[in-house]
Amino acid sequence: VVIVLAPRPNNQQIHVATFRTDAGYSDGRHPDAVTFSTPEQDAYRRDFTINGMFYDPLAERVVDYVGGESDLEQGLIRAIGRATDRIAEDKLRMLRAVRFAARFGFEIEPETRAAIAASASELGVVSGERIAQELRKTLGCDRAAWAVQTWAELGLLAGIMPHVESAWPEQSRLLSDRLNACPALPWQSKLALIVYTVLPRGQQLAALQDVRSRLKLSNEDWDVLSFACQSQPAWDTAPDRPWSETQSLVVSPQVSFARDVLQARESSGDSPTALRWLDEQLARPKDQLDPVPLVTGQDLIDAGLRPGPQFKSYLEQVRARQLDQLLPDRDAALAWLAEQIAADAR
């Protein structure tokens, strides 16, 4: 592939590739060699018919050797030539087929679907990073519920989320309802929702850790997924607990993803009070939601304390009383702190 820069000011990169044919795929992912070929030969090495068409910009016409236009009109994902051959060449195509169908609202034609099911157990030859890319793009589609169900039906779910696959299909109907109710959620929110809905609480963290390890997810993704999933029980009881016990959840950088999961749960009648409560808190002014602490570690040092474990305890106690509006200002906080230090010293 040669990258050609378009004229300024755009400087758009145009990828120009020669027509080619591929030799064998001994690793199930990459061709062992390539040779130059004709357009027709190039078309027949591609994955699906809707991806095997060319456009001639000079003649302004579509060049279709593989029946892509017809499948496009019918809404079908069909492998070019023998489906088993195309899947054998590149196992990632199994996930791509589901993604394309989910994205465009298409169906996978029977022969291609059968070839995927027959090779699903070989998904492990694909790198975790590439599987993760397909996971992100697929869950980002509005038809994520259909895609997850199709992964399960074709045997692909075991290679993506084995913990979820082992618990399928007990909660599959509930999961589909929740995903369909909130189709525009980010992929992280949908993944957290899948794990939360399908697995019992004691298995959720292990499932997320497994996905993180095998798919090489980033630390940022891990923070989002673990918080969005693991915080759900806390939201259910939050309206009945002191603000000091729930404020750290509401001001978390990942709170929007947790709210997504809560919203999807609410769509099935689960915890509607918690969602209303959270939205009320998020609507509060910043100085009420996360006020500046009334005391700091320097105040403890000025009071004669040496830095140590007791520091954290005193700061947490003052912060809790501040959030619960038991200490109206800094003077009251310092007075309470002095009394507490004196009492503990006796």
Side-chain angles (χ1 to χ4, degrees):
V1 175
V2 176
I3 297 177
V4 179
L5 291 180
R8 294 181 179 180
N10 290 337
N11 285 340
Q12 181 181 3
Q13 293 186 354
I14 300 173
H15 292 231
V16 181
T18 56
F19 294 119
R20 67 185 192 269
T21 56
D22 300 333
Y25 289 72
S26 57
D27 66 353
R29 273 289 292 124
H30 309 93
D32 298 327
V34 297
T35 56
F36 298 143
S37 71
T38 65
E40 184 173 2
Q41 289 172 317
D42 185 278
Y44 276 97
R45 73 173 179 82
R46 297 177 180 270
D47 53 6
F48 307 110
T49 58
I50 64 168
N51 290 337
M53 295 178 285
F54 304 120
Y55 181 72
D56 184 338
L58 300 182
E60 297 185 347
R61 67 186 181 93
V62 173
V63 180
D64 181 12
Y65 299 106
V66 296
E69 285 189 288
S70 174
D71 286 339
L72 197 61
E73 292 175 359
Q74 296 180 68
L76 290 177
I77 303 299
R78 183 194 308 273
I80 293 174
R82 291 182 57 190
T84 53
D85 292 343
R86 297 293 80 74
I87 299 304
E89 291 168 351
D90 185 353
K91 303 302 188 301
L92 185 65
R93 288 171 173 170
M94 297 187 289
L95 297 182
R96 284 166 57 84
V98 177
R99 171 163 65 87
F100 291 143
R103 176 183 176 186
F104 298 119
F106 287 6
E107 295 295 329
I108 304 173
E109 66 87 27
E111 183 182 343
T112 303
R113 191 179 176 94
I116 294 172
S119 298
S121 61
E122 301 174 50
L123 185 60
V125 304
V126 180
S127 70
E129 292 89 343
R130 297 304 300 274
I131 294 176
Q133 289 178 5
E134 291 299 320
L135 176 74
R136 295 185 186 99
K137 294 176 181 178
T138 304
L139 293 184
C141 297
D142 289 349
R143 294 180 78 207
W146 178 91
V148 176
Q149 180 64 40
T150 303
W151 284 341
E153 292 173 356
L154 297 179
L156 294 170
L157 191 57
I160 304 171
M161 294 179 279
H163 287 74
V164 173
E165 191 276 338
S166 65
W168 203 266
E170 286 78 4
Q171 300 296 330
S172 59
R173 178 66 65 86
L174 176 60
L175 175 63
S176 291
D177 290 344
R178 289 176 172 177
L179 287 173
N180 286 327
C182 305
L185 296 183
W187 72 268
Q188 299 99 320
S189 300
K190 291 179 182 177
L191 180 53
L193 177 63
I194 291 168
V195 172
Y196 179 83
T197 301
V198 174
L199 295 172
R201 184 178 178 185
Q203 299 178 23
Q204 293 169 5
L205 189 59
L208 289 173
Q209 289 173 332
D210 177 72
V211 171
R212 177 195 189 186
S213 175
R214 290 185 310 101
L215 304 191
K216 309 297 189 296
L217 299 183
S218 68
N219 291 337
E220 181 180 357
D221 286 338
W222 167 251
D223 291 341
V224 168
L225 292 169
S226 57
F227 181 80
C229 183
Q230 294 292 103
S231 66
Q232 293 305 307
W235 299 117
D236 295 342
T237 60
D240 301 319
R241 292 160 58 196
W243 175 235
S244 59
E245 295 181 10
T246 58
Q247 185 263 359
S248 62
L249 294 172
V250 178
V251 300
S252 167
Q254 294 84 30
V255 69
S256 65
F257 298 94
R259 187 199 175 279
D260 288 342
V261 177
L262 193 58
Q263 178 186 4
R265 293 174 54 205
E266 192 273 342
S267 70
S268 61
D270 189 9
S271 204
T273 302
L275 182 64
R276 289 196 298 271
W277 176 88
L278 176 56
D279 286 342
E280 290 171 359
Q281 308 317 308
L282 292 175
R284 295 168 66 179
K286 177 68 165 60
D287 60 345
Q288 294 182 18
L289 196 61
D290 193 19
V292 176
L294 294 176
V295 299
T296 65
Q298 185 60 49
D299 294 316
L300 298 181
I301 294 175
D302 294 342
L305 292 180
R306 294 182 178 181
Q310 205 171 20
F311 254 54
K312 182 179 180 181
S313 176
Y314 281 134
L315 290 175
E316 288 178 345
Q317 290 181 65
V318 173
R319 181 62 168 171
R321 297 179 71 82
Q322 174 190 2
L323 293 174
D324 292 335
Q325 299 183 343
L326 299 177
L327 296 173
D329 51 38
R330 175 174 168 78
D331 290 340
L334 290 174
W336 180 89
L337 184 60
E339 293 177 3
Q340 195 67 30
I341 293 173
D344 292 342
R346 287 196 291 269

